[in-house]
Amino acid sequence: MKRSIVVVALILLGAAVGNQAYAEQRAIAEIRPTSESSSVSGRLELTVEETGLRVRGRIEGLRPGAKHGFHVHEYGDCSDTGKAAGGHYNPHDAPHGDVVQSGLESAHAGDLGNLEAGPDGVASVDVTVPGLDLIVGAHPVAGRAFIVHEKEDDFGQPLGNAGGRIGCGCIVLSAPEAPPAA
């Protein structure tokens, strides 16, 4: 009986420590142009929250007023004009669609929809994707890459007709934010 209580206590302690580490997971992605003809750049910050993986940041150098497909791709490799990043991250062989709207069962895990550039060619990003994670869980994205496409993702099959890859950024784990100085 005492042994069972100790085992349960250790499991609960591990879960509490694990949840604390889970809550502090952060990553960044520095978006860079995939070719000399692109001026796309930006920075995205990823944090694990209770409701899912939150992606925040800003992408600039986009076609003013246009929509651009925005996806997590399989590999964290932006070489070969972004083609080395592979296809959309799709661990369940789901159809193409908007994962934020349709969920992981109905869309590729990496299908984040479209960025919408303002008249200045800048798009703000603030999206939370339920079910995605950085390093734990069934859908980790650390070590993969964001791709910004030249055209709007129309959510058609099989890949959304979003055209070439104009921006790419590897998703890299970063240190937790330091607490504010006292």
Side-chain angles (χ1 to χ4, degrees):
M1 179 67 175
K2 283 184 181 180
R3 185 176 201 165
S4 296
I5 292 172
V6 169
V7 169
V8 169
L10 288 173
I11 289 171
L12 292 174
L13 177 62
V17 170
N19 283 342
Q20 178 64 23
Y22 181 81
E24 293 177 357
Q25 290 180 31
R26 288 182 64 231
I28 58 167
E30 296 287 343
I31 307 299
R32 303 275 188 244
T34 55
S35 70
E36 290 181 19
S37 63
S38 173
S39 60
V40 172
S41 65
R43 179 180 171 93
L44 300 171
E45 181 177 315
L46 296 80
T47 53
V48 176
E49 300 191 357
E50 286 182 31
T51 55
L53 183 66
R54 186 172 185 189
V55 180
R56 289 181 291 187
R58 171 183 160 106
I59 309 290
E60 53 190 50
L62 300 168
R63 196 171 62 249
K67 291 183 180 180
H68 297 269
F70 180 56
H71 307 114
V72 174
H73 282 242
E74 297 173 288
Y75 310 114
D77 185 347
C78 292
S79 63
D80 191 22
T81 62
K83 293 176 189 161
H88 296 177
Y89 176 45
N90 187 13
H92 299 298
D93 199 28
H96 181 69
D98 185 339
V99 72
V100 176
Q101 298 297 317
S102 303
L104 289 166
E105 301 78 29
S106 301
H108 298 171
D111 289 343
L112 303 183
N114 290 295
L115 300 174
E116 188 163 354
D120 57 357
V122 175
S124 293
V125 179
D126 192 350
V127 62
T128 301
V129 186
L132 287 190
D133 209 315
L134 285 174
I135 56 176
V136 299
H139 307 98
V141 299
R144 302 186 191 287
F146 283 109
I147 293 288
V148 178
H149 289 274
E150 68 178 325
K151 299 183 208 170
E152 179 177 358
D153 184 338
D154 65 6
F155 304 110
Q157 300 303 320
L159 300 174
N161 305 308
R165 301 169 186 209
I166 59 172
C168 183
C170 297
I171 301 169
V172 180
L173 292 175
S174 62
E177 276 190 55

